[in-house]
Each structure stands twice: as C-alpha cells, then as structure tokens.
Amino acid sequence: MTEAAGHTPHHHEGAPAEDTGERTPQDYETRVSPFVEQFAADLTEAGMQRMAARVFACLLASDDGALTSAELSERLRASPAAVSGAVRYLAQVNLISRRRDPGSRRERYLLHQEVWFTAVAGRDSVLGRLRNTMHTGLGELGPDTPAGQRLGEAVEFFEFLQRELDQVLVRWRAHRSGRSR
C-alpha cells in the first residue's frame, strides 16, 4: 500500500501508529484529542466544570503534564479567557499548580505529582467538613427528630467514609512503594 492511498508503510488500519515519542498537531487531533474530549465529558458528568475538565484532561494527556496557556488554548481551540478561568479553578481545587518558565513571563500549568492521590486526599477534608457541619446540625435539631435522625445517619456515613478512605490511602501508599522497588 502506498502513502498516496492513505496508508503509511508501517501503519495498518485498526492498528495504532508506531509511537516514535514525537507528537505532531495531526497526531494530537487524531489520537489525543478524542481521548481528551471523552475524559473531559466523563469528568463533566461527574460534576467538574466543563472547561476545567477539558484543561485537566489535556494536561493529563500531555507528555510533560505541563502546558502554557497558549498551548492549552491551541490544543483545545478555546479562548485564553476560558483557559484562564479553568486553570484558576483547577489551582483552587489543588489539582494543578503554576510555574514560571525561567527567564520568561510565561506561566506553565502543571499537574500535581500523584494527582489522583492528591484529589482523593483533598476529598477527605471535604468529608470532614461535611461531617462536622452535619454534627452541628444534629445538635441543633436534636437526635430524636426526623431531621435529626437523617443528620445522624449522614454523620455516621461520613465517619465511615473517612475511616475507609484513610485506610485506602494508606494501602495505596504501601502498594506504590512496593511496586517501585
């Protein structure tokens, strides 16, 4: 088969292209962008803001886990303002951080190391706040009222989740350290 017929010598239809480690704009459009958009849709369905989900997925799919605002805008075909709002949100929820390129005024946005661990561990503090608020409400409403009983069950649920999550995070650390040896 020839390249003129739409096939490259090393690429068979249905098989992934040979990965040379280099990414071209066309490669991004055909291989990476569909993943970014699907994962962003999944994150949006789970409750993340749409543009933040797209930026997060784009960073996750980048080789370095870091891109500039201009690179994000180009890859996502989004306005700089939309990207700016998304990175601000992602930084607030502690999923990314900003770093200036040496000798430049340009900022690069980076995924945190162990981004999934960080995200789940951050949810642990949210669970604690929810549990504390429910506990305060339980004291105000009284445990014998119908509303108090609902809040009591919520407190019990959040306490259970927090204990389980703590144990899962400890087991994950042990798993990771055992795997890296």
Side-chain angles (χ1 to χ4, degrees), residues 99-156:
R99 181 186 75 204
R100 285 219 188 271
D101 286 342
S104 172
R105 296 174 65 189
R106 183 183 320 190
E107 285 187 329
R108 185 168 295 279
Y109 303 104
L110 303 96
L111 288 175
H112 283 185
Q113 293 291 339
E114 298 184 321
V115 69
W116 296 112
F117 181 91
T118 302
V120 171
R123 293 292 176 239
D124 187 41
S125 67
V126 171
L127 291 174
R129 284 196 314 269
L130 291 172
R131 184 202 65 234
N132 291 342
T133 300
M134 294 291 173
H135 196 347
T136 300
L138 176 61
E140 295 297 323
L141 297 171
D144 296 328
T145 65
Q149 289 172 357
R150 282 192 302 275
L151 292 182
E153 185 177 325
V155 167
E156 185 179 348

Side-chain angles (χ1 to χ4, degrees), residues 51 54-55 69 72-74 76-86:
M51 192 64 207
R54 292 182 73 218
V55 167
S69 180
L72 287 163
S73 291
E74 180 182 338
L76 298 173
R77 297 183 181 179
S79 73
V83 168
S84 177

Side-chain angles (χ1 to χ4, degrees), residues 158-174:
F158 288 127
E159 287 172 346
F160 173 82
L161 273 181
Q162 202 157 23
R163 278 191 312 273
E164 292 298 310
L165 185 56
D166 289 345
Q167 292 172 12
V168 165
L169 294 176
V170 166
R171 286 194 314 269
W172 172 250
R173 286 279 186 192

